[in-house]
Amino acid sequence: MTNESEAAHVQECRDWQAVLAANSWAGIAWPKECHGRGATIGQARIFAQEESHFEVSSGVFMVATGMVGPTIIAHGTQAQKDYFLPRMLNGEHIWCQLFSEPGAGSDLAGLATCAVRDGDQFIVNGQKVWTSGAHFSDWAMLLVRTDSDVPKHRGITYILVDMRSPGITVRPLRQITGHAHFNEVFLTDVSIPVANVLGEINGGWGVAQTTLGNERSMIGGGGSGIGFKSLLHLARTSGCANDPIVRQELARSYTRFELLGWLSHRARARSKLGLPPGPEASVMKLAVSERVAADGDLALAIEGANGMLTSTDAPQDGMFQQMFLNQWSVRIGGGTEQIQRNVLGERVLGLPSEPRPDKTLPFKDLPHN
Ligand SMILES: Cc1cc2nc3c(=O)[nH]c(=O)nc-3n(C[C@H](O)[C@H](O)[C@H](O)COP(=O)(O)OP(=O)(O)OC[C@H]3O[C@@H](n4cnc5c(N)ncnc54)[C@H](O)[C@@H]3O)c2cc1C
């Protein structure tokens, strides 16, 4: 995607999101007092299914409506709800997530970006990395360290920052697909009002869990990867649909596809009960990760030598190559496969937790790179 085509896509998303809001189809399952339509999750899903039949997208608002919005609904003050929720629903504010740092990805609680209070402002210094869409975002959810004298999970604050604040520098990172989807973000003496803290000062870890749970559900429920019908079509048009090995792999792919459908029914049943995303979000994310990896391998195996081509030289303009390369986004973003397994081992199977000697020591006494 070129800079121009990305800018056009962002504008199309803003325009479509504005149309949705103007007709009360944005925030369908959010409560009315949170500026939503007050309908059910099931009704929101029906709308999404119908919407998918049209060439429209509000994709750049996924972080806003899928992650920040639910977090503000769960932890925000009424003033925060009234300011931020309508503006993300109407296409005005695109959001990004300033969580990961060069030294804090899987170990997110080890983050070092620090905020020092100065009257009614926090002054923030540090660096974030892998920030999807930071280059076109208006606002960000930011995790900062506000107390280094307590164990690492207890000194974190969740704060909302205007991406146009002085002192924020965004630098793009080019990834394996050739696109620059994410960025490094440098924060130098950035002043953020204390009123923008979401939840309690030093209580940000709990607030972040709401965001991360919603992120896992969103990635797991997003149906990422190659649709089964596309793979079948590829096998037929490549003349290998009768190959016994390919048939066996296609059957496995179909099984994965069906299992994911049932897993997502289970996740939806939980949200219908009004429960927040639980460990089944990790099951879903892991299942989607395994699927994109296996289906990516299968697609390129079916293409044979053509699998080595790219872009317009490759079959279907390199669609399968892009999907193959994109698998690592799904497998790493929102928590790696290994981390999802840790979550499942500890929270679902009740296995002994990993040794974590750093859980009780003050953050300032931990060894740092
Ligand atoms: C496409 C994409 C988009 C992203 N967007 C954003 C974004 O918008 N905002 C944001 O804040 N972050 C974003 N991220 C960052 C993402 O959350 C991190 O990459 C991820 O959490 C892993 O952290 P890391 O890259 O630092 O890897 P590390 O944590 O350094 O992990 C390296 C390897 O060690 C393994 N590992 C680490 N700890 C353990 C453990 N305890 N047990 C077992 N194995 C372990 C990991 O599984 C991994 O294989 C994005 C990442 C991707 C790929």
Side-chain angles (χ1 to χ4, degrees):
M1 198 182 261
T2 62
N3 289 347
E4 292 73 32
S5 61
E6 183 182 68
H9 173 67
V10 170
Q11 191 54 49
E12 279 163 22
C13 289
R14 281 194 195 272
D15 293 345
W16 179 239
Q17 189 66 36
V19 170
L20 291 176
N23 294 282
S24 303
W25 291 114
I28 293 175
W30 290 5
K32 285 196 170 149
E33 62 275 20
C34 293
H35 307 273
R37 192 183 176 96
T40 64
I41 305 258
Q43 287 167 322
R45 194 168 173 81
I46 292 169
F47 184 85
Q49 277 168 357
E50 293 304 315
E51 187 189 29
S52 70
H53 298 134
F54 298 86
E55 291 287 315
V56 289
S57 170
S58 48
V60 299
F61 288 91
M62 278 170 69
V63 172
T65 55
M67 292 161 61
V68 194
T71 312
I72 293 178
I73 290 173
H75 302 277
T77 61
Q78 196 56 45
Q80 288 170 334
K81 289 176 189 169
D82 291 342
Y83 180 76
F84 290 113
L85 299 176
R87 287 170 178 78
M88 64 179 72
L89 291 180
N90 72 10
E92 193 180 331
H93 289 170
I94 297 174
W95 284 73
C96 64
Q97 180 193 33
L98 292 173
F99 281 15
S100 306
E101 298 183 5
S106 301
D107 179 23
L108 183 59
L111 60 93
T113 293
C114 107
V116 177
R117 184 142 182 190
D118 180 12
D120 60 359
Q121 303 285 312
F122 273 114
I123 307 300
V124 177
N125 282 283
Q127 186 200 337
K128 298 289 174 174
V129 73
W130 314 128
T131 317
S132 307
H135 51 302
F136 53 70
S137 289
D138 305 292
W139 278 83
M141 42 184 157
L142 169 67
L143 292 183
V144 288
R145 184 150 308 279
T146 35
D147 190 347
S148 297
D149 293 325
V150 292
K152 59 183 182 178
H153 294 88
R154 288 200 239 138
I156 293 172
T157 298
Y158 194 123
I159 194 161
L160 310 175
V161 59
D162 183 339
M163 285 298 284
R164 301 207 170 81
S165 308
I168 297 186
T169 309
V170 177
R171 274 199 221 150
L173 289 168
R174 197 155 296 281
Q175 63 216 65
I176 195 173
T177 54
H179 299 152
H181 156 87
F182 42 39
N183 304 271
E184 294 178 295
V185 178
F186 298 86
L187 300 114
T188 310
D189 291 332
V190 179
S191 187
I192 310 176
V194 173
N196 286 12
V197 169
L198 195 56
E200 301 295 322
I201 294 174
N202 294 327
W205 187 248
V207 183
Q209 294 317 303
T210 305
T211 307
L212 296 171
N214 280 286
E215 181 176 21
R216 284 193 283 269
S217 315
M218 203 171 72
I219 298 175
S224 314
I226 305 164
F228 176 73
K229 282 187 185 156
S230 307
L231 276 178
L232 191 58
H233 179 72
L234 179 69
R236 287 190 172 134
T237 50
S238 307
C240 58
N242 289 331
D243 179 307
I245 305 275
V246 171
R247 289 171 72 85
Q248 189 172 303
E249 290 305 322
L250 282 171
R252 287 208 173 103
S253 172
Y254 182 71
T255 309
R256 284 191 291 271
F257 176 79
E258 286 294 315
L259 283 175
L260 265 173
W262 289 109
L263 280 171
S264 82
H265 277 306
R266 187 190 278 176
R268 280 205 298 281
R270 189 179 161 93
S271 47
K272 264 190 197 159
L273 294 173
L275 298 169
E280 81 286 338
S282 291
V283 178
M284 282 288 290
K285 177 153 195 300
L286 196 53
V288 169
S289 297
E290 290 183 348
R291 175 170 173 239
V292 292
D295 284 358
D297 284 351
L298 177 57
L300 293 201
I302 291 173
E303 286 194 356
N306 282 341
M308 291 186 284
L309 300 174
T310 183
S311 190
T312 47
D313 292 335
Q316 298 183 52
D317 289 343
M319 176 178 97
F320 291 101
Q321 281 74 1
Q322 280 294 315
M323 285 176 163
F324 173 83
L325 293 173
N326 223 17
Q327 64 175 278
W328 284 280
S329 302
V330 181
R331 296 171 66 184
I332 299 172
T336 66
E337 288 161 282
Q338 291 80 11
I339 295 301
Q340 304 310 327
R341 288 200 170 88
N342 282 351
V343 172
L344 293 176
E346 292 175 20
R347 296 198 210 149
V348 179
L349 302 177
L351 298 173
S353 57
E354 278 193 276
R356 293 193 180 106
D358 56 353
K359 222 174 163 180
T360 46
L361 285 176
F363 179 77
K364 66 175 168 32
D365 295 336
L366 298 178
H368 297 293
N369 296 332

